[in-house]
Amino acid sequence: MMIYLWMKRISLICCSLVLLQGCIPMVTKTETYDKLDVEKFKKIKLVGVSKHELIGILGLPLAVAKQNGTPMYIPKPFENTSKRLQPDVFFELFASKHDLDEHYVIYYYQHCSFTGYGLGILSYAEMPFFMPGKHITVDKLWVLIDERTQKVVDYRFGEDE
Amino acid sequence: MSGVIVNVLWRVFVGGVLLTWLAGCATNTGIKIDQETLSGIHPGKSTKKELFDLLGPPRAIAVQGRPLYIFQPLHKSDTALSASRANIDKPLQLQAEPFFEVFTPQNTLTYVHRVYFYYYAESRMYMLPFYEKTSLEIDQLLVLVNEESEIVEDVYFMPHPK
């Protein structure tokens, strides 16, 4: 008899949880898959790889910097807005090692990952509404290409937190 | 006997109720791009009209030297990661030049060239109590079109790496 009483209680609790889950604040951890595996790409010898092979490996760059070229628009992580940058800032990264002229271009890649702990509502397919433990990582890759040979000359990694 | 049936039914019920907690969803955007679709595009022969008949209007058109505006192929929850949820329906501004890179140097690009950008995106979201995860897979198709002759000059397909 006791077991039936517990069955009823558990059933009632489960039903209540399901019915009320839209109103229950939950602690939620969220992360995205979009992470550049920096260690993996450090093992690949990018120098000497052709421009088309690079696009085959990493996809289209987010921006292409050309000397005196058009401004670049770099998306802010997990936002629908971009920041405008002049291409010259990217050339500064390689200026000390290379004698850069108009034959060089820089491909810029950026991958963002997000992990957060916060309060959310379970059944409401939205992100937590209060997230004090937000952590965004932006992995960046700059690839210097010589347009005459169409090959990668140098590259640099960077990370922002 | 009836006790056994009640027991089984109860387990199924509790299991079913708990399964409702394992929520998830998948959404897709764009037209599926497969080998059959690609074989319908003939560089040097296909016209812009034939391209539109096959794939419809592109998601974005890249013009050299001008910014490109594109709606991100993201699930609502991905976009909601941003602090500015009000921006969900705003297009993202990007540089157009990367879209032309795959077509050089084998094509001589001039001001008459445009890159029509198509994509097929699949977004998945998994939700468990206390945990949720999102992923996005995009197949991209770039079509180089000469706006003067209205001929498709080149095609570049980038499936999402498996």
Side-chain angles (χ1 to χ4, degrees), chain B residues 80-127:
Chain B
L81 283 165
S82 95
S84 52
R85 293 180 188 201
N87 285 337
I88 285 171
D89 296 325
K90 276 174 68 179
L92 182 69
Q93 190 178 26
L94 292 173
Q95 192 193 24
E97 273 64 21
F99 293 84
F100 288 90
E101 284 299 308
V102 290
F103 298 115
T104 58
Q106 68 273 28
N107 295 284
T108 310
L109 301 179
T110 65
Y111 69 97
V112 297
H113 287 100
R114 306 280 184 273
V115 174
Y116 287 22
F117 178 55
Y118 293 89
Y119 64 70
Y120 176 76
E122 266 187 18
S123 162
R124 290 192 190 86
M125 181 177 169
Y126 309 94
M127 277 177 73

Side-chain angles (χ1 to χ4, degrees), chain A residues 49-69:
Chain A
V49 164
S50 77
K51 185 172 98 171
H52 289 267
E53 284 169 338
L54 181 74
I55 292 171
I57 297 167
L58 297 178
L60 282 184
L62 199 56
V64 178
K66 292 182 180 175
Q67 299 244 16
N68 304 316

